[in-house]
Amino acid sequence: MDIETAKRNAAIRAVHDHFDASARYIGIGSGTTIVYVVEAITQLGIDTSGIRFVPTGYQSRQNILHYGLTPIAFDSLPPNTLMEVAFDGADEIDEDLNCIKGGGACLYQEKLVATHAKKFVCVADHRKLQHRLLSHWPSVPIEVEPLAASVVLTALRALGSTDPKLRTGPMSKAGPLKTDQSNFIIDAPFQTLLLPQDKGAMEPGHSQGWEVEALAKEIKLIEGVLSVGIFCGENGQEAAQAGRKMGGQKPIAAYFGMEDGGVVVRSAGSKTVSTEEVPIK
């Protein structure tokens, strides 16, 4: 089965399980997989005129408009409002649902939307399903203020990153790629990221590699870093249970379209997965 069909299958299942027809606000992420999420929403055949869809960037907004849905900018949301759900993709997802995002250079807006949703649902294909982050995806994307780029690069090397680099645009002679906020992206390679249960993971910068949350926190402390492309810590439901209105970064579930036509679901708090074949439409 081709990758695009696998993505569509994952999107259909995720929308079936998590789309709320009574929602006022729904987050819509970036990337090729999320095109199928929006398509699946429109194919439900329900009235969405009362729902406003919050994009994570220019491409995301165009996707919403293309399917006849109504976008609303993140900064136009009413004060203290949480989206009922946010759908987004990821570059890699580990067994604890930590994610690497930012391959499409929208990570700051993606994190804004994820942390202001009651639940974040990730949709991807089987290539993104890994036991640990940086197993196959090569680096951590980091959005930085342009003036601080050289300082951030030096600090990342001190943290153990091997050859961090500014991401260039499609035409390298045009210089570094710029995000929707006119910032730069640094791609920082590290060793495979560990989970708390891994031996040596509790030692910052341990020779065996960084623990996911420890590295994310250290990078965020660097002056000039706007956002780190590691989505870790609490999910939205865990943040709410702890009395925090917002702040959850991790998805409550991740849906992976598989080569055999099925969909693997990895849910918060469980290492088990469920599979189900999704009819191809």
Side-chain angles (χ1 to χ4, degrees):
M1 177 172 291
D2 67 88
I3 289 295
E4 296 308 308
T5 301
K7 292 176 182 179
R8 177 179 278 113
N9 286 346
I12 292 170
R13 174 81 183 273
V15 167
H16 175 272
D17 289 353
H18 294 283
F19 180 78
D20 182 355
S22 66
R24 292 183 62 201
Y25 303 103
I26 291 177
I28 297 294
S30 311
T32 56
T33 305
I34 303 305
V35 172
Y36 299 120
V37 168
V38 180
E39 177 187 76
I41 290 171
T42 59
Q43 289 179 346
L44 291 173
I46 64 173
D47 181 9
T48 59
S49 61
I51 303 175
R52 297 296 176 263
F53 294 85
V54 185
T56 58
Y58 175 81
Q59 178 228 27
S60 175
R61 184 175 186 276
Q62 296 307 304
N63 185 27
I64 292 167
L65 290 170
H66 174 76
Y67 281 95
L69 304 177
T70 305
I72 182 173
F74 177 84
D75 59 1
S76 295
L77 289 171
N80 299 314
T81 296
L82 291 180
M83 288 159 267
E84 275 73 16
V85 60
F87 295 97
D88 205 348
D91 301 309
E92 199 165 59
I93 307 167
D94 72 17
E95 67 180 33
D96 277 2
L97 295 181
N98 300 298
C99 303
I100 287 180
K101 293 172 55 57
C106 297
L107 66 98
Y108 176 60
Q109 291 192 67
E110 289 172 342
K111 189 161 283 190
L112 274 178
V113 169
T115 56
H116 288 76
K118 295 177 183 177
K119 58 181 180 179
F120 161 33
V121 175
C122 198
V123 187
D125 63 75
H126 55 86
R127 299 172 301 176
K128 314 300 175 65
L129 175 62
Q130 303 295 333
H131 291 294
R132 299 291 183 272
L133 296 183
L134 297 183
S135 293
H136 289 279
W137 190 259
S139 57
V140 177
I142 304 160
E143 188 160 346
V144 303
E145 204 283 325
L147 188 64
S150 61
V151 173
V152 176
L153 285 166
T154 299
L156 289 168
R157 294 187 190 101
L159 292 177
S161 178
T162 55
D163 197 23
K165 291 182 178 179
L166 277 175
R167 189 183 301 179
T168 57
M171 297 177 59
S172 59
K173 66 180 181 181
L177 178 147
K178 288 192 174 183
T179 69
D180 285 355
Q181 286 73 45
S182 296
N183 294 311
F184 290 169
I185 296 287
I186 290 176
D187 293 305
F190 284 90
Q191 295 182 60
T192 300
L193 301 184
L194 306 178
L195 295 176
Q197 61 267 31
D198 294 327
K199 183 178 180 181
M202 301 312 293
E203 298 292 332
H206 192 277
S207 60
Q208 294 185 38
W210 280 94
E211 187 270 332
V212 173
E213 290 191 51
L215 179 61
K217 289 176 181 177
E218 285 292 325
I219 295 175
K220 189 65 172 68
L221 289 173
I222 301 170
E223 194 66 40
V225 169
L226 178 64
S227 193
V228 183
I230 299 173
F231 286 53
C232 60
E234 297 175 324
N235 62 43
Q237 293 177 340
E238 291 167 340
Q241 290 168 2
R244 288 180 282 278
K245 185 169 178 62
M246 55 194 66
Q249 297 181 17
K250 288 203 304 189
I252 63 160
Y255 289 72
F256 302 93
M258 306 306 287
E259 292 178 287
D260 63 1
V263 174
V264 164
V265 184
R266 182 173 281 173
S267 300
S270 174
K271 299 295 191 298
T272 60
V273 295
S274 63
T275 61
E276 175 181 307
E277 288 199 7
V278 176
I280 301 173
K281 297 183 179 181

